[in-house]
Amino acid sequence: MSTSRIRIVYTLTVLLVASVAHGQDVGTATSENLRAVAQKRPYSPHAGGAVPTRVFWGDTHLHTSFSLDAGAFGNRLGLEEAYRFARGEELQSTSAGPVKLARPLDFLVIADHSDNMGFFPDLIAGDPALLSDPKGREWSERIKAGEGVGVALEVIDLFSRGKIPPKLIYYPDTKMYRTAWERTIQAAEKYNEPGRFTAFIGYEWTSQVPPGQNLHRVVVYRDGADKAKQTVPATTYPPQGSSDPEFLWKLLQQYEDKTGGDVLAIPHNGNLSNGLMFPIINHVDRKPLTKQYATTRSKWEPLVEATQMKGDGETHPFLSPNDEFADFGTWDKGNLNLSELKTKEMLQYEYVRSALKTGLKLQQELGVNPYKFGLIGSTDSHTSLSTADEDNFFGKHAGSEPSPERYAHPFMKGSGAEFKGWETLASGYAAVWAKENTREAIFDAMERKEVYGTTGPRMTVRFFAGWDFQPADASSRQPAVIGYQKGVPMGGDLAKAPQGKAPTFLVAALKDPIGANLDRLQVIKGWVDKSGKLQERLYDVAVSGGRQIGADGRCKTPVGNTVDVKNATWSNTIGNTELITVWKDPDFDPALSAFYYLRVLEIPTPRWTAYDAKYYGLKLPAEIPLEQQERAYTSPIWYTP
Amino acid sequence: MIKSFLREPLLHFIVLAGSLFIVWGIRNPEATPTEPPKPKIVVSEARIDSLIDIFAKVRQRPPTGQELRGLIDDYLQEEILYREALAMRLDEDDTIVRRRLRQKMELFIEDITSAAQPSEKQLEEFLQANADQFRVDRKMALRQVYLDPEKHPETFERDVAELKSKLNEESDPHEYGDTTLLPAVFELSPLSQFTQMFGGQFGSEVFALNAGQWQGPVPSSYGAHLVFVVEKQEGRLPPLEEIRSKVELEWFARKRVNAKLEFYERLRENFEIVIESPKEVSAGKESAL
């Protein structure tokens, strides 16, 4: 078939689609009626925007030198550098030489702490008051002619001699100040390039409930500068601010009411909240959560950052004793500043798996599930460098950029406990199934939770649930098309089981094209049993290398290990490049509400500490892990009877 | 003798006058000429407006009377402690304060140099001088069919050949090949996207093939692919009007870096700099970086 014929067919198809009412129906892709399908959907799955066909990668949580703590650690890379780096450019890091990502990111949220954002005078606004002064006018003209440096030097000179014209003296209470928030917005606008790179406007609301319980949230805007700059970020210090999450949600509501905009908030590091992140008792009034709280929270917080540099938050070995992969990047010594140690009773209110379970229970009690959230990963890096690759990890802050000593640096100390440098994780990224790379499309995908998180690698992951997936669907040429047609994607809902049916799942993962092979796919199910108790169960649903899954739904044979720690390498001689299957819940009870999410495990690979040891020729203490199995967590799919 | 002395009127006068002077001095401490005047803090109307404005931008409503009093009290407290801290020179050895101020100076010079708009000629010259940076990547539109070598252990070559001829008769790639999550059809996309999705040299290897027929297999990180190149577009340097905003962005970025450097160097000229040699240089420690 010639190229021109293809074009004609394509054009015809597009015309046919245009004459059909909507592009919503993605058609039936079984081979028997493929010809009929051609009349329902365009030849190209990209056309018409019916379903997302591409996963976009990003970081929703990056700090630059604009964050006070990042600046204090010596980070000198600002907003523009952060965007340039994420887009794939090479930069000079603050302390460890040149740095570049293996692959660019598709989107970025710079989330500097909203408290303590600096001010700076803006001498060049062209303010008539300034221009009425001869010196002001002269400066303005010279600045516009490109002689800014000369003017700046003159300003400094006049100041130091006390000779600055009174009209040109600026005070923080005059309009000549430009806030850091305006700069943040401006930088996002500059680097946002629809179709190629999305720069979201955002900030971090850094709520720390005394003595140091982490309730931080990142706020992300769907909007551009016109709306975002009508307000300033919520802060946590009284009298303007508050550390109560309900305060934040109120402000988000007011923002939307005022501007018609759209924002969401993403909590992170429940593991450092000492039991406050996913509570059943509101810490503010010490009363059980109300329906109002549940409704508001589920409205503003559709996602949780489940993995990042300060620990992985999926689950904890104490909470999931039957999950041999649960102890990954566990940070459970205390709260954020280690002013209070952790007790076991706190754990269930800190990790996403148990929070998802708590949510089901609260739904029964309150009628609303406050913890119905999707999962992503992000870095929380304070270096302006969004690095989550083990072989290219630039640390948590400028002081922990690569160096022979960084593994031993204390990260936080207190109450007789300590987090050491080596404990930080080179994690993670957010993956978003969106129709295109724009603020709107990616934000909308976040709101519908069609997202997943990884600890760094970029594997492609699909997770669909429906009532009629057949084993043959897993061997179809275009599994995702069938997935959308017969089911709902990750983040979706199943309601009312048809008589005698159990949920079926189409699950698939493709390895990172430059990363490690896959070990296995696991479905994690959580539910409330008949007696009201919370339950969870792990099923291995697809395993590599021809291993067997037992009648109990588990494969206890490890995938093996090819890691050469000394040389910090591994080989893809074990595991599979792709795993796909259809799985049916064997223990389904249509009367009980449940959730399901997919966990993807890679084969073992070297940890960043192994790359450090090799590069610097270090002999690291035995307590430091040098290899690990990286992973992805999808947003759950909920079944509600 | 003493008795008569005590009766002396002059003594009475001196004692009386002296004690009066002392009492007056205790009662009127301000009159001591050595005391400086108190420094004044004026919470100006503009300052109050600004406190109200910031509050309103956060809270989406103006403060109540009580809240405003709270804001002013808080401001006063901050101002007083701030001034006293400066007087005690607490800022001087504080790394955070120093870094913050340095950052403010850098932002100051950024602001002041970013106001000058480049001329048409400057942009054109910048574009030509940095052509590589603005060249648009090669693009192609593609269909692909995936083959998993593990699923054809004995018959891979035969299966590939059969599939290729079948595809060349009827080219819908949705119907053939092994299961994969990789899309079967790609619209015109930059080569970098293929590299990102398939790994290795896949993009450039496919680009080297002729358009208009099924070819391959081409290896990727996942296995082998039969490919049909629908369209190819060579890389090119777009004219200024097509990429003006991008060129401007880069022009400003370059200018920002240069201005900071120039600013620093010019300021440095104002100082006589003495660097004493450290007692002991730990040699070789930095070599790894």
Side-chain angles (χ1 to χ4, degrees), chain B residues 132-149:
Chain B
D132 280 350
Q133 198 176 342
F134 297 109
R135 213 175 289 282
V136 170
D137 196 5
R138 290 176 290 176
K139 287 181 179 173
M140 60 183 172
L142 186 70
R143 288 161 195 193
Q144 65 89 21
V145 166
Y146 171 65
L147 286 155
D148 183 351

Side-chain angles (χ1 to χ4, degrees), chain A residues 112-133:
Chain A
D112 282 318
H113 303 290
S114 55
D115 289 308
N116 291 314
M117 276 187 160
F119 301 114
F120 207 70
D122 189 353
L123 282 175
I124 43 115
D127 185 341
L130 286 177
L131 297 181
S132 67
D133 181 277

Side-chain angles (χ1 to χ4, degrees), chain A residues 210-507:
Chain A
Q213 331 299 47
N214 180 325
L215 289 184
H216 302 185
R217 265 90 173 161
V218 168
V219 175
V220 184
Y221 289 69
R222 186 180 193 263
D223 317 308
D226 55 327
K227 288 183 177 145
K229 75 179 173 200
Q230 290 182 38
T231 70
V232 296
T235 56
T236 63
Y237 291 119
Q240 276 107 336
S242 161
S243 62
D244 177 2
E246 287 188 274
F247 164 78
L248 173 68
W249 304 332
K250 198 169 90 194
L251 290 198
L252 298 182
Q253 183 65 57
Q254 286 171 350
Y255 166 79
E256 289 197 354
D257 291 345
K258 178 174 179 175
T259 64
D262 205 346
V263 285
L264 58 82
I266 308 173
H268 66 87
N269 284 114
N271 59 338
L272 304 174
S273 72
N274 273 11
L276 295 195
M277 185 57 93
F278 306 108
I280 53 171
I281 304 289
N282 189 339
H283 76 271
V284 178
D285 57 13
R286 298 177 197 281
K287 290 189 180 140
L289 297 192
T290 60
K291 182 172 184 178
Q292 160 103 13
Y293 177 103
T295 310
T296 319
R297 180 156 179 157
S298 64
K299 174 176 181 186
W300 296 111
E301 303 190 346
L303 302 178
V304 169
E305 186 184 299
T307 184
Q308 64 128 280
M309 289 182 182
K310 293 197 304 290
D312 189 274
E314 189 222 355
T315 191
H316 186 281
F318 174 77
L319 301 171
S320 306
N322 298 323
D323 179 352
E324 64 274 32
F325 300 100
D327 192 7
F328 181 86
T330 308
W331 279 44
D332 60 358
K333 293 182 187 119
N335 56 2
L336 179 61
N337 54 14
L338 282 177
S339 56
E340 181 184 280
L341 294 177
K342 182 92 61 212
T343 63
K344 287 193 165 50
E345 298 69 44
M346 297 169 180
L347 294 170
Q348 60 176 309
Y349 306 115
E350 301 193 334
Y351 287 81
V352 298
R353 191 189 293 179
S354 56
L356 289 165
K357 282 156 55 181
T358 308
L360 297 179
K361 179 111 181 167
L362 287 170
Q363 163 124 37
Q364 291 181 347
E365 289 165 9
L366 304 172
V368 182
N369 179 351
Y371 306 132
K372 193 171 180 183
F373 49 73
L375 305 180
I376 57 162
S378 277
T379 65
D380 196 6
S381 157
H382 281 54
T383 59
S384 310
L385 307 170
S386 179
T387 61
D389 291 341
E390 303 298 320
D391 63 349
N392 194 24
F393 179 50
F394 269 62
K396 165 77 186 159
H397 54 73
S400 58
E401 286 183 352
S403 78
E405 303 88 18
R406 67 163 161 172
Y407 75 88
H409 290 170
F411 176 79
M412 193 62 78
K413 250 181 176 171
S415 311
E418 187 179 11
F419 291 122
K420 290 255 198 175
W422 62 263
E423 293 185 74
T424 45
L425 282 62
S427 178
Y429 285 133
V432 175
W433 285 108
K435 289 166 195 166
E436 55 183 6
N437 188 355
T438 60
R439 281 177 179 163
E440 297 77 15
I442 292 177
F443 186 96
D444 293 349
M446 288 177 174
E447 275 202 329
R448 67 172 189 268
K449 311 180 187 87
E450 201 173 346
V451 299
Y452 58 98
T454 83
T455 55
R458 304 194 197 177
M459 50 280 246
T460 304
V461 183
R462 289 289 202 178
F463 186 51
F464 296 100
W467 302 104
D468 294 306
F469 284 115
Q470 305 297 325
D473 295 333
S475 46
S476 79
R477 179 64 185 82
Q478 291 256 289
V481 174
I482 295 189
Y484 282 110
Q485 190 212 345
K486 292 168 77 170
V488 293
M490 55 184 76
D493 283 287
L494 290 176
K496 255 199 227 160
Q499 189 63 38
K501 296 234 180 192
T504 55
F505 297 84
L506 179 58
V507 301

Side-chain angles (χ1 to χ4, degrees), chain B residues 67-104:
Chain B
E67 282 166 336
L68 183 57
R69 277 192 296 281
L71 290 172
I72 293 171
D73 281 350
D74 190 62
Y75 168 75
L76 261 180
Q77 208 179 106
E78 182 176 297
E79 182 67 19
I80 289 169
L81 294 179
Y82 168 73
R83 289 196 191 187
E84 295 301 339
L86 286 186
M88 289 166 73
R89 302 167 76 167
L90 293 183
D91 53 326
E92 287 184 6
D93 270 342
D94 188 319
T95 316
I96 295 179
V97 173
R98 293 170 66 101
R99 284 184 176 152
R100 199 66 170 177
L101 292 180
R102 169 186 175 160
Q103 188 180 38
K104 288 193 168 190

